Amino acid sequence: MIVIGRIPRGRAIAIVGTRNPTREGARLTRLVARRVAELGFTVITGDARGVDSITAQQTIETKAPLVIAKPCINSGEEPPPNGAIVGLRYCNGRVTGGMLVSRDWLIAKLADAIIVPEARSGSARMACCGTWYTVDFGVKRGVPVFILRPMTSEPDVLEAFRIITRDGAVPVGGIEELVNRLRSLAN
């Protein structure tokens, strides 16, 4: 694994989700990231737009430890304050689908739990794409995976929730329920 910066010690929670969150999904992501940081966890996320970038921005604003997992590392990248950038290879051209799946695996490998504030389905068989892969790797690894109940009636968000819970994520009804579940991990 390539590390730029320093991976903080202690328990880590991954926050991943759709690249196109609803307004409520974006608000929920900021709240989840802030609460995870307040509980003293390191936050792990990917480098995609949407839930990942909202998570990273909120974590940096709260001055909490942050690890950003990337499909590949470019030379000269700077780590976030209080954290690191991690990846499995250096970039030598374009990013491939396999690199993205490797990033999702890395997120699940580093996490003590995974939270999905909001996801969207990409096809009839899976909640696309990185979110589903991260959830699948986490479930197979035996880490707790939580998904918040949708706060929208958009069909692709509802379908992603259905698929991700079917595939092993635990649905949670809101922030306080999530915080109570995470407190047990902090001890």
Side-chain angles (χ1 to χ4, degrees):
M1 177 170 63
I2 301 163
V3 178
I4 298 174
R6 185 184 63 77
I7 297 177
R9 295 183 188 263
R11 308 284 270 168
I13 305 292
I15 303 172
V16 299
T18 180
R19 291 178 185 224
N20 300 301
T22 61
R23 182 173 36 226
E24 187 57 31
R27 186 191 71 75
L28 194 56
T29 299
R30 283 189 289 279
L31 186 55
V32 167
R34 186 168 53 248
R35 293 303 299 270
V36 167
E38 289 169 356
L39 288 170
F41 292 102
T42 293
V43 175
I44 303 169
T45 196
D47 66 329
R49 72 178 190 276
V51 168
D52 290 6
S53 62
I54 294 166
T55 296
Q57 178 184 23
Q58 184 65 51
T59 303
I60 289 168
E61 287 176 12
T62 60
K63 298 179 174 44
L66 173 64
V67 174
I68 298 174
K70 300 186 75 155
C72 61
I73 304 289
N74 290 302
S75 63
E77 289 195 69
E78 292 292 323
N82 300 322
I85 295 172
V86 297
L88 295 175
R89 61 184 57 83
Y90 287 103
C91 293
N92 62 356
R94 69 185 189 91
V95 174
T96 66
M99 290 177 182
L100 293 168
V101 173
S102 294
R103 177 216 43 210
D104 304 331
W105 173 85
L106 184 56
I107 291 169
K109 181 178 179 358
L110 294 172
D112 294 300
I114 299 167
I115 301 168
V116 180
E118 187 176 81
R120 289 186 184 271
S121 62
S123 71
R125 72 175 184 83
M126 65 190 291
C128 202
C129 290
T131 304
W132 182 84
Y133 280 112
T134 304
V135 166
D136 187 55
F137 290 133
V139 167
K140 286 177 179 169
R141 219 183 123 231
V143 302
V145 179
F146 305 106
I147 185 168
L148 282 103
R149 292 193 185 279
M151 307 206 53
T152 180
S153 59
E154 291 189 26
D156 58 339
V157 173
L158 296 173
E159 180 64 5
F161 176 81
R162 185 192 68 74
I163 292 167
I164 289 173
T165 56
R166 176 200 70 198
D167 291 348
V170 175
V172 291
I175 296 296
E176 291 313 310
E177 180 183 345
L178 178 63
V179 166
N180 288 335
R181 290 176 179 269
L182 294 178
R183 279 192 178 119
S184 68
L185 294 174
N187 299 326

